[in-house]
């Protein structure tokens, strides 16, 4: 059965305020008010920005959704989890300060911020799921205690999964620290000694103290948790990473954590993908990256698999090629979508409804 996916087309590089003015029509067309009941505590999941990356969704865009929820009588809160790596979001205090610096105040963004997995990423509930890798996954407590969820995703490429969209935003982004470790456990990098300049940046960011710098950087595979940060921060392309089988495992495990988030209440979640400002890497990367294709639009629906499939199709059409296959040729980035469909999380068939 084809699931409806609502799409609001946008002009290239549209300013956030102009885009915000058009979003209420999308909320209405997609029937978001039918998902959330009066009194519901609604987890609005988004990435609140890693410095100095500027790809995150801006507060005026988020406020449109928060206001729509409040007008319907529900109680939204903006939420994300602590990161594994040593950035500005590794614990709730640093993250809340970063969010405020990015303008995510209740006045500007329409709702308060609650870090979903507590002070240092350990506040979780174990959720039983019928997965192939896991029968139970650890999910950030606020994501499960909320009555409902609205997922706002800025879609980008991603080093590990090729594409980082709604599935990654939920599966990685609402897993507790333990859940993130489970998803990353299969990947291990190594150092190209010819290219390493011993600048030491990778060792500074490594959350597992797995990198020693002597005459070159050296990675201890015993300590490494496979988070990928060293690869992201190295400016000299000196960290080698062979994805392939490990990307498949990462994507499948990510999908199983999505199951953990929505299990037992799928009808209470809705998904909005912003296919704009599409970069090679995700917004966790600590630098600003160029656009890889013209902006597409904003897609919304209640079926995550359908929203993700439509997003990828429209991005490929705008790019004139299979964009994420070109950016990450070793990775089969649509595997996550197929696996989610296989596990019954939604349908890859969709009917596109244009929103004026
Ligand atoms: S960041 Fe790159 S160049 Fe710098 S020490 Fe690490 S591997 Fe070497
Ligand atoms: S060495 Fe391992 S744990 Fe450290 S940053 Fe790289 S991938 Fe992450």
């Amino acid at each position: 059965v084809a699931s409806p996916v609502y799409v609001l087309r946008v002009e290239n590089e549209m300013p956030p305020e102009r885009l915000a003015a058009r979003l209420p029509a999308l909320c209405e067309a997609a029937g978001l008010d039918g998902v959330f009941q009066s009194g519901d505590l609604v987890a609005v999941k988004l990435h609140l920005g890693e410095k100095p990356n500027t790809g995150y969704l801006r507060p005026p865009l988020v406020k449109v959704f928060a206001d729509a929820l409040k007008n319907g009588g529900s109680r939204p809160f903006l939420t994300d989890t602590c990161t594994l790596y040593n950035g500005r979001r590794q614990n709730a205090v640093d993250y809340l300060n970063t969010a405020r610096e990015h303008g995510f105040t209740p006045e500007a963004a329409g709702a308060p911020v609650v870090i979903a997995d507590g002070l240092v990423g350990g506040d979780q509930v174990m959720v039983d799921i019928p997965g192939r890798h896991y029968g139970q996954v650890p999910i950030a407590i606020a994501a499960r205690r909320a009555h409902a969820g609205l997922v706002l995703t800025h879609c980008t490429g991603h080093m590990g999964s090729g594409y980082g969209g709604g599935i990654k935003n939920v599966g990685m982004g609402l897993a507790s620290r333990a859940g993130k470790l489970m998803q990353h456990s299969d990947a291990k990098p190594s150092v190209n000694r010819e290219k390493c300049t011993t600048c030491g940046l990778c060792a500074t960011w490594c959350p597992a103290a797995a990198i020693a710098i002597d005459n070159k950087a050296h990675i201890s595979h015993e300590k490494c948790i496979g988070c990928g940060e060293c690869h992201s921060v190295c400016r000299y392309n000196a960290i080698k990473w062979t994805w392939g089988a490990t990307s498949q495992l990462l994507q499948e495990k990510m999908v199983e954590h999505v199951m953990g988030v929505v299990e037992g209440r799928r009808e209470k979640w809705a998904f909005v993908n912003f296919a704009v400002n599409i970069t090679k890497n995700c917004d966790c990367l600590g630098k600003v990256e160029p656009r890889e294709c013209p902006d597409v639009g904003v897609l919304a629906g209640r079926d995550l698999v359908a929203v993700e499939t439509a997003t990828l199709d429209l991005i490929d059409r705008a790019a004139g090629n299979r964009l994420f296959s070109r950016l990450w040729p070793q990775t089969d980035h649509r595997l996550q979508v197929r696996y989610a469909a296989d596990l019954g999380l939604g349908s890859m068939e969709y009917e596109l409804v244009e929103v004026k």
Side-chain angles (χ1 to χ4, degrees):
V1 181
S3 299
V5 175
Y6 301 85
V7 58
L8 180 71
R9 309 275 181 174
V10 300
E11 297 152 25
N12 207 30
E13 302 194 32
M14 206 175 196
E17 289 72 20
R18 277 190 48 217
L19 177 53
R22 296 192 56 207
L23 287 174
L26 179 68
C27 295
E28 194 178 328
L32 293 185
D33 53 355
V35 182
F36 310 108
Q37 267 79 55
S38 185
D40 277 355
L41 287 165
V42 182
V44 178
K45 167 66 178 81
L46 75 166
H47 189 306
L48 297 156
E50 183 66 69
K51 284 184 184 304
N53 192 302
T54 55
Y56 60 94
L57 299 175
R58 298 311 161 92
L61 303 176
V62 177
K63 186 171 190 297
V64 174
F65 295 94
D67 287 349
L69 291 169
K70 287 187 291 186
N71 289 339
S74 58
R75 292 171 289 170
F77 62 95
L78 313 184
T79 197
D80 196 7
T81 52
C82 303
T83 61
L84 284 182
Y85 56 85
N86 302 324
R88 296 288 307 277
R89 301 181 297 136
Q90 203 186 14
N91 59 66
V93 175
D94 290 350
Y95 203 156
L96 288 170
N97 282 328
T98 301
R100 186 172 38 77
E101 287 164 22
H102 286 162
F104 288 100
T105 61
E107 295 74 28
V113 179
V114 175
I115 301 302
D117 56 352
L119 189 62
V120 288
D123 294 4
Q124 64 186 36
V125 280
M126 297 303 293
V127 182
D128 291 338
I129 56 155
R132 288 183 204 154
H133 298 284
Y134 301 119
Q136 256 195 348
V137 285
I139 301 300
I141 198 160
R144 288 294 311 186
R145 293 283 181 264
H147 303 113
L150 175 64
V151 180
L152 305 181
T153 304
H154 173 222
C155 301
T156 64
H158 186 262
M159 179 186 67
S161 53
Y163 163 68
I167 289 174
K168 178 170 176 296
N169 195 10
V170 178
M172 189 65 74
L174 287 176
S176 66
R177 184 178 171 82
K180 292 186 181 82
L181 287 170
M182 285 160 63
Q183 294 175 63
H184 280 299
S185 61
D186 303 291
K188 306 285 179 211
S190 59
V191 177
N192 181 334
R193 295 176 62 85
E194 307 281 299
K195 292 186 176 174
C196 177
T197 65
T198 66
C199 72
L201 200 60
C202 55
T204 308
W205 277 66
C206 176
I211 306 181
I213 311 281
D214 37 54
N215 59 341
K216 295 286 172 182
H218 173 79
I219 296 174
S220 159
H221 282 186
E222 268 158 36
K223 292 185 184 167
C224 173
I225 55 172
C227 71
E229 278 315 300
C230 51
H231 187 275
S232 297
V233 299
C234 178
R235 281 171 289 183
Y236 302 96
N237 209 16
I239 302 283
K240 293 183 289 182
W241 205 297
T242 311
W243 290 99
T246 50
S247 174
Q248 176 179 344
L249 290 170
L250 172 71
Q251 292 184 57
E252 290 179 359
K253 290 177 176 182
M254 229 157 60
V255 169
E256 295 196 4
H257 283 76
V258 174
M259 272 194 128
V261 173
V262 302
E263 189 61 12
R265 62 227 180 102
R266 286 185 205 168
E267 71 292 348
K268 296 294 288 182
W269 285 75
F271 306 92
V272 180
N273 276 2
F274 285 74
V276 297
N277 187 16
I278 298 158
T279 49
K280 180 176 179 181
N281 286 283
C282 68
D283 295 341
C284 299
L285 190 72
K287 68 175 185 187
V288 179
E289 290 200 309
R291 274 175 167 74
E292 295 289 347
C293 89
D295 291 345
V296 171
V298 188
L299 296 91
R302 296 171 71 160
D303 179 334
L304 173 60
V305 179
V307 172
E308 290 280 78
T309 310
T311 300
L312 286 168
D313 288 349
L314 292 189
I315 288 174
D316 285 351
R317 219 169 289 160
N321 54 42
R322 290 220 142 196
L323 179 69
F324 299 116
S325 302
R326 177 171 65 73
L327 295 173
W328 299 105
Q330 291 175 315
T331 303
D332 174 9
H333 63 273
R334 289 209 185 215
L335 189 147
Q336 56 192 289
V337 182
R338 294 196 302 275
Y339 189 60
D342 282 353
L343 289 188
L345 280 168
S347 166
M348 287 171 62
E349 289 184 30
Y350 61 88
E351 180 200 348
L352 216 49
V353 183
E354 302 280 345
V355 177
K356 297 292 171 214

